[in-house]
Amino acid sequence: MVKEQVTQRRPDDKGDWYFRMLGIKPEGEASTLQEVAAGSDATRTSELVTGMWEETAETPAAEKNGDLLADWEPTELSSTVSSRRSVRWAVVVLALLIGGVAAFALWWMPQASEQRATTHADLMRDSLADLYDDLGGMQQALAAATEPTSTEPDLSSVTIGLAGTTDSAARLLDVANQDVPSPLPLTSAEPFEDLDTIRVGLEPLAAEATSIRDQIADIAAYRAALLEVLDVGELPLTADSATVTAQGASLAQSLAGSVAALSSMPTSGPFSDHRALVDGAVTDFAQWQEDYLDALRSGDAARAERLVAELSLERRALGDQLVGTLAELRTDVDTRILQLAEDVSRTLARVPE
């Protein structure tokens, strides 16, 4: 069993340490060297010690039975005794400010992030809707380009009908190449991931629309070039020498125009076989004009009439031989337009509201 230890109090221990802690100098206590130095002009340590000794000698001895608290009055505790610390209001205000900013950010960022996703979704939706609306004009342009009886003004309107698709396909391609914005911190990334998945599918739609537009434009361009081949206007059956000379110059221009039109026609693609027929007709036309001018010079109206009829039949035959190819193209391209419309509509449905 451990015995309780009892602290033995020294006879001369009167609790002076407590009074010193309170800032009270017990009566009879000797002055310190610093206190003597503060009240003396002496600078040498020996002089200060002598002064301290004299001060101690002048201090009356305290009575052993005297009451040390007799003349004590309460004073402010020293900072050593005080344990309460002053509040740092600047720190408190800063903490509240940071907390408020953090709370606002947590409230604002999800809404801002959602708005960012909504804005980009609207951009996708508008671009898809514009292309979808322009597909009707593309079908009308296809009808004009593939109609066998279409005239030059009809074929010229094809370019106007395709202008809308040209613009909307270009805008959709721009959206497809534009990165989807990133979500803000501490917000959901799922809407942005969905938009990015949709974005990947926009480029094929724009490419298909552009491809169809180009094909229709090529059909119209081929048809317009064909109208320039063997275009001689009205031909006389008889003529004097001046008329024969003028007619020779006009036929030379028609031949040059036919050669230029032939050069613009593609050598490959759906019209490659028909172009070979056009090439043969243009080659024959060079010899035909010589025969026709000879008939005019000789005054052989019957021969001139027969040559004019042959040229007219040749030109009509070139148009008739293109009808089957135009019908096939119309069916194929129209099917592509309908499929594109379905794909665009399906993609539109996937874009979040």
Side-chain angles (χ1 to χ4, degrees), residues 68-150:
L68 295 177
L69 297 177
D71 298 327
W72 176 81
E73 293 181 358
T75 58
E76 183 179 357
L77 291 177
S78 65
S79 60
T80 305
V81 180
S82 176
S83 61
R84 180 178 298 176
R85 296 182 179 179
S86 60
V87 178
R88 297 183 179 179
W89 291 108
V91 176
V92 174
V93 172
L94 180 61
L96 292 176
L97 180 61
I98 293 175
V101 171
F104 176 78
L106 291 176
W107 170 81
W108 173 80
M109 282 194 295
Q111 300 183 61
S113 187
E114 180 180 357
Q115 182 59 42
R116 180 180 294 185
T118 300
T119 300
H120 198 78
D122 292 342
L123 178 62
M124 287 183 171
R125 186 182 303 105
D126 293 342
S127 300
L128 288 166
D130 289 343
L131 178 59
Y132 186 87
D133 293 339
D134 290 333
L135 295 182
M138 183 181 287
Q139 284 185 310
Q140 294 177 1
L142 174 64
T146 56
E147 175 59 43
T149 60
S150 292

Side-chain angles (χ1 to χ4, degrees), residues 3 65 112 176 201 319:
K3 295 182 179 180
N65 297 327

Side-chain angles (χ1 to χ4, degrees), residues 1-19:
M1 180 176 183
V2 181
K3 295 182 179 180
E4 180 179 354
Q5 296 180 357
V6 178
T7 303
Q8 298 295 331
R9 182 174 181 179
R10 295 182 299 175
D12 57 348
D13 187 0
K14 299 179 180 180
D16 293 346
W17 61 271
Y18 180 72
F19 292 97

Side-chain angles (χ1 to χ4, degrees), residues 238-249 293 296-299:
T238 59
D240 54 22
S241 59
T243 303
V244 170
T245 300
Q247 194 63 51
L293 292 175
L296 289 181
R297 292 189 189 98
S298 63

Side-chain angles (χ1 to χ4, degrees), residues 232 234-236 239 242-252 289 292-293 296:
V232 295
E234 186 176 355
L235 297 173
T243 303
V244 170
T245 300
Q247 194 63 51
S250 177
L251 289 176
Q289 68 174 341
Y292 171 73
L293 292 175
L296 289 181

